[in-house]
Amino acid sequence: MIYLLFGPPGVGKGTQGARIAHKYAVPIISTGEIFRNLAAAGTPLGRAAKEFTSKGELVPDEIVVALVQQRIAMADCADGFLLDGFPRTINQAEILECTLDDMGLELNGVLSFEACDGELIRRLTGRRTCSRCGATYHIRAMPPTREGICDRCGGELVQRADDTEEAIRTRLREYEAKTAPLLSFYRKRGLLRSVDAAAAPDTVAARAAAVLAVSHGAPRS
Ligand code: AMP
């Protein structure tokens, strides 16, 4: 299966994607996560990308596209994969289409998670992420048992550098200007599947599972 997880920042693509990836036993490829890992490792590419990510701006297409092309050619993607946060521009989407075609692969669908701006801002400003395992929490909606400590691994919970109010505003603007046009790009291709994401994670997961079951079939157990 090859699916895109689509939607504005803070809509829950990562949270929902992790569940779907587990259910269908495919890897999830998050370009944002790749950039955060490269930056944490202090690589030149990570430092270059951080110039953009820290301000909430999109990283130039050529950098992102090369990373994704390398990643989807890896052995663990042979039975399919989910893309979280890619493509984010029409140019990236067109290149992805050609890349998959060259590899003899086909995009099965685009899960479009939807919520209003107020809800996105509330989620992003309250989001905390484990610095060790990447688990995400929300200070009010999904707090950890002990403040600032990950329930899963005991790691320290931190706020993402781009979850500040100014960077969030830039990210939402970038989404509207450059990424939202992809909705009609994929609608025209008959690939778009909407999921109402303005609800608690378990409810959204059930909605996404129902949409996927119709679009793709149930996971092999
Ligand atoms: P995310 O974790 O998906 O919210 O991504 C965090 C940041 O990484 C974004 O705000 C961008 O700066 C950068 N990024 C992630 N994916 C892409 C992409 N496909 N194109 C350009 N920049 C990206």
Side-chain angles (χ1 to χ4, degrees), residues 2-57:
I2 301 178
Y3 271 80
L4 306 185
L5 306 170
F6 190 86
V11 79
K13 300 184 294 292
T15 305
Q16 297 302 328
R19 295 184 185 212
I20 298 167
H22 179 72
K23 234 170 144 175
Y24 284 84
V26 290
I28 178 164
I29 302 168
S30 157
T31 41
E33 190 67 35
I34 293 175
F35 289 130
R36 284 187 286 281
N37 290 339
L38 289 172
T43 64
L45 190 55
R47 282 199 300 274
K50 205 171 174 187
E51 295 283 317
F52 300 92
T53 58
S54 62
K55 287 184 264 174
E57 293 170 9

Side-chain angles (χ1 to χ4, degrees), residues 30-33 35-36 52-53 56-59 64 84-88 92 160 162 171:
S30 157
T31 41
E33 190 67 35
F35 289 130
R36 284 187 286 281
F52 300 92
T53 58
E57 293 170 9
L58 292 189
V59 176
V64 192
D84 166 9
F86 181 92
R88 259 176 157 101
Q92 290 179 14
R160 264 173 53 170
D162 59 350
R171 287 159 68 199

